Structure formats: C-alpha cells, structure tokens
Amino acid sequence: MFDDLRDLYQEIILDHGRKPRNFRRLEDADLSARGDNPLCGDRMDLWLKMTPDGRIADAAFQGRGCAISMASASLMTETVKGKSAEQAKALGARFRELAMTGACPDCGDLAEEMERLQPLAGVHEFPSRVKCATLAWHTLNAALEGNKEASSE
Ligand code: ZN
C-alpha cells in the first residue's frame, strides 16, 4: 500500500513536471517575481493577479528547471488560487516544513491544501532537492511582499 502511494506521488510529480499547470505569462499581472535556485539551475518567473480585496485571482509561471521545481510551481499555482496573501504565505511556511521534515503535524487546519502538496513531501529524503521544491514558494513570498527577486539561498 505504501509503495502504491509512493508510485502515485511519483507519477503526480512527473506529470506536473512534464506538463506544468498554469505555465504561461500573465500579461495583466499585479505582482511578479523571479526565482533562482543556482544549486540546481532552476529558474522561474511568477505572476499574480489579485482581486480588489487582496486575494489571488490567478497565478501563473514560466521557467525551466528540474521536474521537482516545475512540479512544485505547478502545484503551488493551483493551490493558492482564491487564497488571501496571508493564507498563501501560511501555506508556504507549512509546505517548507513538509518538504524539510516529510510531515507537518500542525497542518490540520490546512489539511485539504496540504494533501495536494503531499506528493512533494518525499523530497525531505534528498536534502539537496528541498530547495528545488521550495523555490516556487520563496518566489511567491517575494511577489506578495513586492520583491522582484527570490533566491533559494
Ligand atoms: Zn531543481
């Protein structure tokens, strides 16, 4: 059963890595940032369209990098739509914990969102890949805070 789940997660990462969702430029974006993970060579541009009351109406990205970085950005853009900036940042903090430790004991209130990100929890077994998985979320934070550049460093 555990192996099946592992295979499923691997399949989700490969699928999102090959065919990232929301992989396009947002021409009328309100916020944007560029993310760079020099350790692996992952780079991405992220664009956000915000609603008047500060929610993420649309999120899209373009970039190149390893399957994990692209899959993570793809899943991130899917997960943060409809969220307020604060909710999105909280989700990012939880995701970083998940990616570093493989678990997030305090994630009960965000269980539904965290479940969508769960396929990436396995990166905690590969410390050099954690930055690949968290780059999209660093870039999201930078965009939400009005910074143009985000580095995994
Ligand atoms: Zn990478």
Coordinates of all heavy atoms in Angstrom, one line a residue, residues 21-117:
R21 N 0.9 22.9 -14.9 CA -0.3 23.7 -15.0 C 0.0 25.2 -14.8 O 1.0 25.5 -14.2 CB -1.3 23.3 -13.9 CG -1.4 21.8 -13.7 CD -1.8 21.0 -14.9 NE -2.2 19.6 -14.6 CZ -1.4 18.6 -14.6 NH1 -0.1 18.7 -15.0 NH2 -1.8 17.4 -14.3
N22 N -0.8 26.0 -15.4 CA -0.6 27.5 -15.3 C 0.7 27.9 -15.8 O 1.3 28.9 -15.3 CB -0.8 27.9 -13.8 CG -2.2 27.5 -13.3 OD1 -3.2 27.8 -13.9 ND2 -2.2 26.8 -12.2
F23 N 1.2 27.3 -16.8 CA 2.5 27.6 -17.4 C 2.3 28.6 -18.5 O 2.2 28.2 -19.6 CB 3.2 26.3 -17.9 CG 4.7 26.5 -18.2 CD1 5.6 26.3 -17.2 CD2 5.1 26.8 -19.5 CE1 7.0 26.5 -17.5 CE2 6.5 27.0 -19.7 CZ 7.4 26.8 -18.7
R24 N 2.3 29.8 -18.1 CA 2.0 30.9 -19.1 C 2.4 32.2 -18.5 O 2.5 32.3 -17.3 CB 0.6 30.9 -19.6 CG -0.4 31.2 -18.5 CD -1.9 31.0 -18.9 NE -2.8 31.6 -18.0 CZ -3.2 31.1 -16.8 NH1 -2.8 30.0 -16.4 NH2 -4.0 31.8 -16.0
R25 N 2.5 33.2 -19.3 CA 2.8 34.6 -18.8 C 1.4 35.2 -18.5 O 0.5 35.1 -19.3 CB 3.5 35.3 -19.9 CG 3.7 36.8 -19.6 CD 4.5 37.4 -20.8 NE 5.9 37.1 -20.7 CZ 6.8 37.8 -20.0 NH1 6.5 38.9 -19.4 NH2 8.1 37.4 -20.1
L26 N 1.3 35.9 -17.4 CA 0.1 36.7 -17.1 C 0.4 38.2 -17.5 O 1.1 38.9 -16.8 CB -0.2 36.7 -15.6 CG -1.1 35.6 -15.1 CD1 -1.4 35.9 -13.6 CD2 -2.4 35.4 -15.9
E27 N -0.2 38.6 -18.6 CA 0.1 39.9 -19.1 C -0.4 41.0 -18.2 O 0.3 42.1 -18.1 CB -0.5 40.1 -20.5 CG 0.1 39.2 -21.6 CD 1.5 39.4 -21.9 OE1 2.1 40.4 -21.4 OE2 2.2 38.5 -22.5
D28 N -1.5 40.8 -17.5 CA -2.1 41.9 -16.7 C -1.8 41.7 -15.2 O -2.7 42.0 -14.4 CB -3.5 42.1 -17.0 CG -4.3 40.8 -16.8 OD1 -3.7 39.8 -16.7 OD2 -5.6 40.9 -16.8
A29 N -0.7 41.1 -14.9 CA -0.4 40.7 -13.5 C -0.2 42.0 -12.6 O 0.2 43.0 -13.1 CB 0.9 39.9 -13.5
D30 N -0.6 41.8 -11.4 CA -0.5 42.9 -10.4 C 0.9 42.7 -9.7 O 1.5 43.7 -9.2 CB -1.6 42.8 -9.3 CG -2.9 43.1 -10.0 OD1 -3.1 44.1 -10.6 OD2 -3.8 42.2 -9.9
L31 N 1.3 41.5 -9.5 CA 2.6 41.2 -8.8 C 3.4 40.2 -9.6 O 2.8 39.3 -10.2 CB 2.3 40.7 -7.4 CG 1.5 41.6 -6.4 CD1 1.1 40.8 -5.2 CD2 2.4 42.7 -6.0
S32 N 4.7 40.3 -9.4 CA 5.5 39.3 -10.1 C 6.9 39.2 -9.4 O 7.2 40.1 -8.6 CB 5.8 39.7 -11.6 OG 6.6 40.8 -11.6
A33 N 7.5 38.1 -9.6 CA 8.9 37.9 -9.0 C 9.6 36.8 -9.8 O 8.9 36.0 -10.5 CB 8.8 37.5 -7.5
R34 N 10.9 36.9 -9.7 CA 11.7 35.9 -10.4 C 12.4 35.1 -9.3 O 13.0 35.6 -8.4 CB 12.7 36.6 -11.3 CG 13.8 35.7 -11.9 CD 14.5 36.3 -13.0 NE 13.6 36.5 -14.2 CZ 13.9 37.1 -15.3 NH1 15.1 37.6 -15.5 NH2 13.0 37.2 -16.3
G35 N 12.4 33.8 -9.5 CA 13.1 32.9 -8.5 C 14.2 32.2 -9.1 O 14.2 31.8 -10.3
D36 N 15.3 32.0 -8.3 CA 16.5 31.4 -8.8 C 17.1 30.4 -7.8 O 17.2 30.8 -6.6 CB 17.5 32.6 -9.1 CG 18.8 32.1 -9.7 OD1 18.8 31.0 -10.3 OD2 19.8 32.8 -9.7
N37 N 17.3 29.2 -8.2 CA 18.0 28.2 -7.4 C 19.3 27.8 -8.0 O 19.3 26.8 -8.8 CB 17.0 27.0 -7.2 CG 17.7 25.9 -6.4 OD1 18.7 26.1 -5.7 ND2 17.2 24.7 -6.5
P38 N 20.3 28.5 -7.8 CA 21.6 28.3 -8.5 C 22.1 26.9 -8.3 O 22.9 26.4 -9.1 CB 22.5 29.4 -8.0 CG 21.9 29.9 -6.8 CD 20.4 29.6 -6.8
L39 N 21.8 26.3 -7.1 CA 22.3 24.9 -6.8 C 21.9 23.9 -7.9 O 22.7 23.0 -8.2 CB 21.8 24.5 -5.5 CG 22.5 25.1 -4.2 CD1 21.8 24.5 -3.0 CD2 24.0 24.8 -4.3
C40 N 20.7 24.1 -8.4 CA 20.2 23.1 -9.4 C 20.1 23.7 -10.8 O 20.0 23.0 -11.8 CB 18.9 22.5 -8.9 SG 18.1 21.3 -9.9
G41 N 20.0 25.0 -10.8 CA 19.8 25.7 -12.1 C 18.3 25.9 -12.4 O 17.9 26.1 -13.5
D42 N 17.5 25.9 -11.4 CA 16.0 26.1 -11.5 C 15.8 27.6 -11.6 O 16.3 28.4 -10.7 CB 15.2 25.5 -10.4 CG 15.6 24.1 -10.1 OD1 15.7 23.3 -11.1 OD2 15.7 23.7 -8.9
R43 N 15.0 28.1 -12.5 CA 14.7 29.5 -12.6 C 13.2 29.6 -13.0 O 12.7 28.8 -13.8 CB 15.5 30.2 -13.7 CG 16.9 29.9 -13.7 CD 17.7 30.8 -14.5 NE 17.9 32.1 -13.7 CZ 18.5 33.1 -14.2 NH1 18.9 33.2 -15.4 NH2 18.7 34.2 -13.4
M44 N 12.5 30.6 -12.4 CA 11.1 30.8 -12.8 C 10.7 32.2 -12.6 O 11.2 33.0 -11.8 CB 10.2 29.9 -12.0 CG 10.3 30.1 -10.5 SD 9.3 28.8 -9.6 CE 10.2 27.3 -9.9
D45 N 9.7 32.6 -13.5 CA 9.1 33.9 -13.3 C 7.6 33.6 -12.9 O 7.0 32.7 -13.4 CB 9.0 34.6 -14.6 CG 10.4 35.2 -15.0 OD1 10.8 36.1 -14.2 OD2 11.0 34.8 -16.0
L46 N 7.2 34.3 -11.9 CA 5.8 34.0 -11.3 C 5.0 35.3 -11.5 O 5.6 36.4 -11.2 CB 5.9 33.6 -9.8 CG 4.6 33.5 -9.1 CD1 3.9 32.3 -9.5 CD2 4.9 33.4 -7.6
W47 N 3.8 35.2 -11.9 CA 2.9 36.3 -12.0 C 1.6 36.1 -11.2 O 1.1 35.0 -11.2 CB 2.5 36.6 -13.4 CG 3.6 37.0 -14.3 CD1 4.2 38.2 -14.4 CD2 4.4 36.1 -15.1 NE1 5.2 38.2 -15.3 CE2 5.4 36.9 -15.8 CE3 4.4 34.7 -15.4 CZ2 6.3 36.3 -16.7 CZ3 5.3 34.2 -16.3 CH2 6.2 35.0 -16.9
L48 N 1.1 37.1 -10.5 CA -0.1 37.0 -9.7 C -1.1 38.1 -10.1 O -0.7 39.3 -10.3 CB 0.2 37.2 -8.2 CG 1.1 36.2 -7.6 CD1 1.4 36.6 -6.1 CD2 0.6 34.7 -7.6
K49 N -2.3 37.7 -10.3 CA -3.4 38.7 -10.5 C -4.2 38.7 -9.2 O -4.6 37.6 -8.7 CB -4.2 38.2 -11.7 CG -5.4 39.1 -12.0 CD -5.0 40.2 -12.9 CE -6.1 41.3 -13.0 NZ -5.5 42.6 -13.2
M50 N -4.4 39.9 -8.6 CA -5.0 40.0 -7.3 C -6.5 40.5 -7.5 O -6.7 41.3 -8.3 CB -4.3 40.9 -6.3 CG -2.8 40.5 -6.2 SD -2.5 38.9 -5.5 CE -3.0 39.1 -3.7
T51 N -7.4 40.1 -6.6 CA -8.7 40.7 -6.5 C -8.6 42.0 -5.7 O -7.6 42.2 -5.0 CB -9.7 39.8 -5.8 OG1 -9.3 39.6 -4.5 CG2 -9.7 38.4 -6.5
P52 N -9.6 42.9 -5.9 CA -9.6 44.1 -5.1 C -9.4 43.9 -3.6 O -8.9 44.8 -2.9 CB -10.9 44.8 -5.5 CG -11.3 44.2 -6.8 CD -10.8 42.8 -6.8
D53 N -10.0 42.8 -3.1 CA -9.9 42.6 -1.6 C -8.6 41.7 -1.3 O -8.6 41.1 -0.2 CB -11.2 42.0 -1.1 CG -11.5 40.6 -1.6 OD1 -10.9 40.2 -2.7 OD2 -12.3 39.9 -1.0
G54 N -7.7 41.7 -2.2 CA -6.4 41.1 -1.8 C -6.3 39.6 -1.9 O -5.4 39.0 -1.2
R55 N -7.1 39.0 -2.7 CA -7.0 37.5 -2.9 C -6.3 37.3 -4.2 O -6.3 38.1 -5.1 CB -8.4 36.8 -2.9 CG -9.0 36.8 -1.5 CD -10.3 36.1 -1.4 NE -10.7 36.1 0.0 CZ -10.4 35.1 0.8 NH1 -9.7 34.0 0.4 NH2 -10.7 35.2 2.1
I56 N -5.7 36.1 -4.3 CA -5.0 35.7 -5.5 C -6.1 35.2 -6.5 O -6.7 34.1 -6.3 CB -4.0 34.6 -5.2 CG1 -2.9 35.2 -4.3 CG2 -3.3 34.1 -6.5 CD1 -1.9 34.1 -3.8
A57 N -6.3 36.0 -7.5 CA -7.3 35.6 -8.5 C -6.7 34.7 -9.5 O -7.4 33.7 -10.0 CB -7.8 36.9 -9.2
D58 N -5.5 34.9 -9.9 CA -4.8 34.0 -10.8 C -3.3 33.9 -10.5 O -2.8 34.9 -10.1 CB -5.1 34.5 -12.3 CG -4.9 33.3 -13.3 OD1 -4.6 32.2 -12.9 OD2 -5.1 33.6 -14.5
A59 N -2.7 32.8 -10.8 CA -1.3 32.6 -10.6 C -0.8 31.8 -11.8 O -1.4 30.8 -12.2 CB -1.0 31.9 -9.3
A60 N 0.3 32.3 -12.3 CA 0.9 31.6 -13.5 C 2.4 31.8 -13.4 O 2.9 32.7 -12.8 CB 0.4 32.1 -14.8
F61 N 3.1 30.8 -14.1 CA 4.6 30.9 -14.0 C 5.1 30.4 -15.4 O 4.5 29.7 -16.1 CB 5.1 30.1 -12.9 CG 5.2 28.6 -13.1 CD1 6.4 28.0 -13.4 CD2 4.1 27.8 -13.1 CE1 6.5 26.6 -13.6 CE2 4.1 26.5 -13.3 CZ 5.3 25.9 -13.6
Q62 N 6.4 30.8 -15.6 CA 7.2 30.2 -16.7 C 8.6 30.0 -16.2 O 9.0 30.8 -15.3 CB 7.2 31.1 -17.9 CG 5.9 31.0 -18.7 CD 6.0 31.7 -20.0 OE1 6.7 32.7 -20.1 NE2 5.3 31.3 -21.0
G63 N 9.3 29.0 -16.7 CA 10.6 28.8 -16.2 C 11.2 27.5 -16.7 O 10.5 26.8 -17.5
R64 N 12.4 27.2 -16.3 CA 12.9 25.9 -16.6 C 13.7 25.4 -15.4 O 14.2 26.2 -14.6 CB 13.8 26.0 -17.8 CG 14.9 27.0 -17.7 CD 15.8 27.0 -18.9 NE 15.0 27.1 -20.2 CZ 15.5 26.9 -21.4 NH1 16.8 26.6 -21.5 NH2 14.8 27.1 -22.5
G65 N 13.8 24.1 -15.3 CA 14.4 23.5 -14.1 C 14.1 22.0 -14.1 O 13.5 21.5 -15.0
C66 N 14.5 21.4 -13.0 CA 14.2 20.0 -12.8 C 12.7 19.7 -12.6 O 12.0 20.6 -12.4 CB 15.0 19.5 -11.6 SG 14.5 20.2 -10.0
A67 N 12.4 18.5 -12.7 CA 11.0 18.1 -12.6 C 10.4 18.5 -11.3 O 9.2 18.9 -11.2 CB 10.8 16.6 -12.8
I68 N 11.2 18.4 -10.2 CA 10.7 18.8 -8.9 C 10.3 20.2 -8.8 O 9.2 20.6 -8.3 CB 11.7 18.4 -7.8 CG1 11.7 16.8 -7.7 CG2 11.3 19.0 -6.4 CD1 12.8 16.3 -6.8
S69 N 11.2 21.1 -9.3 CA 10.9 22.5 -9.2 C 9.7 22.9 -10.1 O 8.9 23.7 -9.7 CB 12.2 23.4 -9.7 OG 12.4 23.2 -11.1
M70 N 9.6 22.3 -11.3 CA 8.5 22.6 -12.1 C 7.1 22.1 -11.6 O 6.1 22.7 -11.6 CB 8.7 22.1 -13.5 CG 9.8 22.8 -14.3 SD 9.6 24.5 -14.6 CE 10.8 25.3 -13.5
A71 N 7.2 20.9 -11.0 CA 6.0 20.2 -10.4 C 5.6 21.0 -9.2 O 4.4 21.3 -9.0 CB 6.3 18.8 -10.0
S72 N 6.5 21.5 -8.4 CA 6.2 22.3 -7.2 C 5.5 23.6 -7.6 O 4.5 24.0 -7.0 CB 7.4 22.5 -6.4 OG 7.1 23.2 -5.2
A73 N 6.1 24.3 -8.6 CA 5.5 25.5 -9.1 C 4.1 25.3 -9.6 O 3.1 26.1 -9.4 CB 6.4 26.2 -10.1
S74 N 3.9 24.2 -10.4 CA 2.6 23.9 -10.9 C 1.6 23.6 -9.8 O 0.5 24.2 -9.8 CB 2.8 22.6 -11.8 OG 1.5 22.1 -12.2
L75 N 2.0 22.8 -8.8 CA 1.1 22.5 -7.7 C 0.8 23.8 -6.9 O -0.3 24.0 -6.4 CB 1.6 21.4 -6.8 CG 1.6 20.0 -7.4 CD1 2.5 19.1 -6.7 CD2 0.2 19.5 -7.4
M76 N 1.8 24.6 -6.7 CA 1.7 25.8 -5.9 C 0.7 26.8 -6.6 O -0.3 27.3 -5.9 CB 3.0 26.5 -5.8 CG 3.0 27.8 -4.9 SD 2.6 29.3 -5.9 CE 4.1 29.6 -6.8
T77 N 0.8 27.0 -7.9 CA -0.1 27.9 -8.6 C -1.6 27.4 -8.5 O -2.5 28.2 -8.3 CB 0.2 28.1 -10.0 OG1 0.3 26.9 -10.7 CG2 1.5 28.9 -10.2
E78 N -1.7 26.1 -8.5 CA -3.1 25.5 -8.4 C -3.6 25.7 -7.0 O -4.8 25.9 -6.8 CB -3.0 24.0 -8.7 CG -3.0 23.6 -10.2 CD -3.3 22.1 -10.4 OE1 -2.9 21.3 -9.5 OE2 -4.0 21.8 -11.4
T79 N -2.8 25.6 -6.0 CA -3.2 25.6 -4.6 C -3.5 27.0 -4.1 O -4.4 27.1 -3.2 CB -2.1 24.9 -3.7 OG1 -1.8 23.7 -4.3 CG2 -2.7 24.6 -2.3
V80 N -2.8 28.0 -4.6 CA -3.0 29.3 -3.9 C -4.1 30.2 -4.6 O -4.5 31.2 -4.0 CB -1.7 30.2 -4.0 CG1 -0.6 29.4 -3.2 CG2 -1.2 30.5 -5.4
K81 N -4.7 29.7 -5.7 CA -5.8 30.5 -6.3 C -7.0 30.6 -5.3 O -7.4 29.6 -4.7 CB -6.2 29.9 -7.6 CG -5.3 30.2 -8.7 CD -5.9 29.8 -10.1 CE -4.8 29.6 -11.1 NZ -5.3 29.2 -12.4
G82 N -7.4 31.8 -5.1 CA -8.6 32.1 -4.2 C -8.1 32.4 -2.8 O -8.9 32.8 -2.0
K83 N -6.8 32.2 -2.5 CA -6.3 32.4 -1.2 C -5.9 33.9 -1.0 O -5.5 34.6 -1.9 CB -5.1 31.6 -0.9 CG -5.3 30.1 -1.0 CD -5.9 29.5 0.3 CE -6.0 28.0 0.2 NZ -7.1 27.6 -0.7
S84 N -6.1 34.4 0.3 CA -5.5 35.7 0.6 C -4.0 35.6 0.6 O -3.4 34.5 0.7 CB -6.1 36.2 1.9 OG -5.5 35.5 3.0
A85 N -3.4 36.8 0.6 CA -1.9 36.8 0.7 C -1.4 36.1 2.0 O -0.5 35.4 2.0 CB -1.4 38.2 0.6
E86 N -2.1 36.4 3.1 CA -1.7 35.8 4.4 C -1.9 34.3 4.3 O -1.0 33.6 4.8 CB -2.6 36.4 5.5 CG -2.3 37.9 5.8 CD -0.8 38.2 5.9 OE1 -0.1 37.5 6.6 OE2 -0.4 39.1 5.2
Q87 N -3.0 33.8 3.8 CA -3.2 32.4 3.7 C -2.1 31.7 2.9 O -1.6 30.7 3.2 CB -4.6 32.1 3.1 CG -5.8 32.4 4.1 CD -7.1 32.3 3.3 OE1 -7.2 32.6 2.2 NE2 -8.1 31.8 4.1
A88 N -1.8 32.4 1.7 CA -0.8 31.8 0.8 C 0.5 31.7 1.5 O 1.3 30.8 1.4 CB -0.7 32.7 -0.4
K89 N 0.9 32.8 2.3 CA 2.2 32.8 3.0 C 2.2 31.7 4.1 O 3.2 31.0 4.3 CB 2.4 34.1 3.6 CG 2.9 35.2 2.6 CD 3.4 36.4 3.4 CE 3.1 37.7 2.6 NZ 3.3 38.9 3.3
A90 N 1.1 31.5 4.8 CA 1.0 30.5 5.8 C 1.1 29.1 5.2 O 1.8 28.3 5.7 CB -0.3 30.6 6.5
L91 N 0.5 28.9 4.0 CA 0.6 27.7 3.3 C 2.1 27.4 2.9 O 2.6 26.3 3.0 CB -0.3 27.7 2.1 CG -0.8 26.5 1.5 CD1 -1.5 25.6 2.5 CD2 -1.8 26.8 0.4
G92 N 2.8 28.4 2.5 CA 4.2 28.3 2.1 C 5.0 27.9 3.3 O 5.9 27.0 3.1
A93 N 4.8 28.5 4.4 CA 5.6 28.1 5.6 C 5.3 26.6 6.0 O 6.3 25.9 6.3 CB 5.2 29.0 6.8
R94 N 4.1 26.2 5.9 CA 3.8 24.8 6.2 C 4.4 23.9 5.1 O 4.9 22.8 5.5 CB 2.3 24.6 6.2 CG 1.5 25.5 7.1 CD 1.8 25.2 8.5 NE 1.0 26.1 9.4 CZ -0.3 26.0 9.7 NH1 -1.0 25.0 9.1 NH2 -0.8 26.8 10.5
F95 N 4.4 24.3 3.9 CA 5.0 23.5 2.8 C 6.5 23.3 3.1 O 7.0 22.2 2.9 CB 4.7 24.0 1.4 CG 5.4 23.2 0.4 CD1 4.9 22.0 0.1 CD2 6.5 23.7 -0.2 CE1 5.5 21.2 -0.9 CE2 7.2 22.9 -1.2 CZ 6.7 21.6 -1.5
R96 N 7.1 24.4 3.5 CA 8.6 24.3 3.7 C 8.8 23.3 4.8 O 9.8 22.5 4.7 CB 9.2 25.7 4.0 CG 9.4 26.5 2.8 CD 10.3 27.7 3.1 NE 9.7 28.7 3.9 CZ 8.8 29.6 3.4 NH1 8.5 29.6 2.1 NH2 8.2 30.5 4.2
E97 N 8.0 23.3 5.8 CA 8.1 22.3 6.9 C 8.0 20.9 6.4 O 8.7 20.0 6.6 CB 7.1 22.6 8.0 CG 7.4 21.6 9.2 CD 6.3 21.9 10.3 OE1 5.6 22.9 10.3 OE2 6.2 21.0 11.2
L98 N 6.9 20.7 5.5 CA 6.7 19.4 4.9 C 7.8 18.9 4.1 O 8.2 17.8 4.1 CB 5.4 19.5 4.0 CG 4.9 18.2 3.4 CD1 4.3 17.3 4.4 CD2 3.9 18.5 2.3
A99 N 8.4 19.9 3.3 CA 9.5 19.5 2.4 C 10.8 19.2 3.2 O 11.6 18.3 2.7 CB 9.8 20.6 1.4
M100 N 11.0 19.8 4.3 CA 12.2 19.6 5.1 C 12.1 18.4 6.0 O 13.1 17.7 6.2 CB 12.6 20.8 5.9 CG 13.2 21.9 5.0 SD 13.9 23.3 5.9 CE 12.5 24.1 6.5
T101 N 10.9 18.1 6.5 CA 10.8 17.0 7.5 C 9.9 15.9 7.0 O 9.9 14.8 7.6 CB 10.1 17.6 8.8 OG1 8.8 17.9 8.5 CG2 10.9 18.8 9.3
G102 N 9.2 16.1 6.0 CA 8.3 15.0 5.5 C 7.0 14.9 6.2 O 6.1 14.1 5.9
A103 N 6.8 15.8 7.1 CA 5.5 15.8 7.9 C 5.2 17.2 8.3 O 6.0 18.1 8.3 CB 5.6 14.9 9.1
C104 N 3.9 17.4 8.6 CA 3.5 18.7 9.1 C 2.4 18.5 10.2 O 1.2 18.6 9.9 CB 3.0 19.6 8.0 SG 2.6 21.3 8.6
P105 N 2.9 18.3 11.4 CA 1.9 17.9 12.5 C 0.9 19.0 12.8 O -0.2 18.7 13.2 CB 2.8 17.7 13.7 CG 4.1 18.1 13.4 CD 4.2 18.2 11.9
D106 N 1.2 20.3 12.5 CA 0.2 21.4 12.8 C -0.6 21.8 11.6 O -1.1 22.9 11.6 CB 1.0 22.6 13.3 CG 1.9 22.2 14.5 OD1 1.5 21.3 15.3 OD2 3.0 22.7 14.6
C107 N -0.7 20.9 10.6 CA -1.3 21.4 9.3 C -2.8 21.0 9.3 O -3.4 21.1 8.2 CB -0.6 20.8 8.1 SG 1.0 21.6 7.8
G108 N -3.4 20.6 10.4 CA -4.8 20.2 10.4 C -5.7 21.2 9.7 O -6.6 20.8 9.0
D109 N -5.5 22.5 10.0 CA -6.4 23.5 9.5 C -6.3 23.7 8.0 O -7.2 24.3 7.4 CB -6.2 24.8 10.2 CG -4.7 25.3 10.2 OD1 -3.9 24.4 10.2 OD2 -4.5 26.5 10.2
L110 N -5.2 23.2 7.5 CA -5.0 23.3 6.0 C -4.9 22.0 5.4 O -4.2 21.8 4.3 CB -3.7 24.1 5.8 CG -3.7 25.6 6.2 CD1 -2.3 26.2 6.1 CD2 -4.6 26.4 5.3
A111 N -5.6 21.0 5.9 CA -5.4 19.6 5.5 C -5.7 19.4 4.0 O -5.0 18.7 3.4 CB -6.4 18.7 6.3
E112 N -6.7 20.1 3.5 CA -7.1 19.9 2.1 C -6.0 20.4 1.2 O -5.6 19.7 0.3 CB -8.4 20.6 1.9 CG -9.1 20.2 0.7 CD -10.4 20.9 0.5 OE1 -11.2 21.0 1.5 OE2 -10.6 21.5 -0.6
E113 N -5.5 21.6 1.5 CA -4.4 22.1 0.7 C -3.1 21.3 0.8 O -2.5 21.0 -0.2 CB -4.1 23.6 1.1 CG -5.2 24.6 0.8 CD -6.3 24.6 1.8 OE1 -6.3 23.8 2.7 OE2 -7.1 25.5 1.7
M114 N -2.8 20.9 2.0 CA -1.6 20.1 2.2 C -1.6 18.8 1.5 O -0.6 18.3 1.1 CB -1.3 20.0 3.7 CG -1.0 21.2 4.5 SD 0.2 22.3 3.7 CE 1.7 21.3 3.9
E115 N -2.8 18.2 1.4 CA -2.9 16.9 0.8 C -2.5 17.1 -0.7 O -1.9 16.2 -1.3 CB -4.4 16.4 0.9 CG -4.4 14.9 0.7 CD -5.8 14.4 0.9 OE1 -6.4 14.7 2.0 OE2 -6.4 13.8 0.0
R116 N -2.9 18.2 -1.3 CA -2.5 18.4 -2.7 C -1.0 18.5 -2.9 O -0.4 18.2 -3.9 CB -3.1 19.6 -3.3 CG -4.6 19.6 -3.2 CD -5.2 20.9 -3.7 NE -5.2 20.9 -5.2 CZ -5.8 21.9 -5.9 NH1 -6.4 22.9 -5.3 NH2 -5.8 21.9 -7.2
L117 N -0.3 19.0 -1.8 CA 1.1 19.2 -1.9 C 1.9 18.0 -1.4 O 3.1 17.9 -1.6 CB 1.5 20.4 -1.1 CG 0.8 21.7 -1.4 CD1 1.1 22.8 -0.5 CD2 1.1 22.2 -2.9

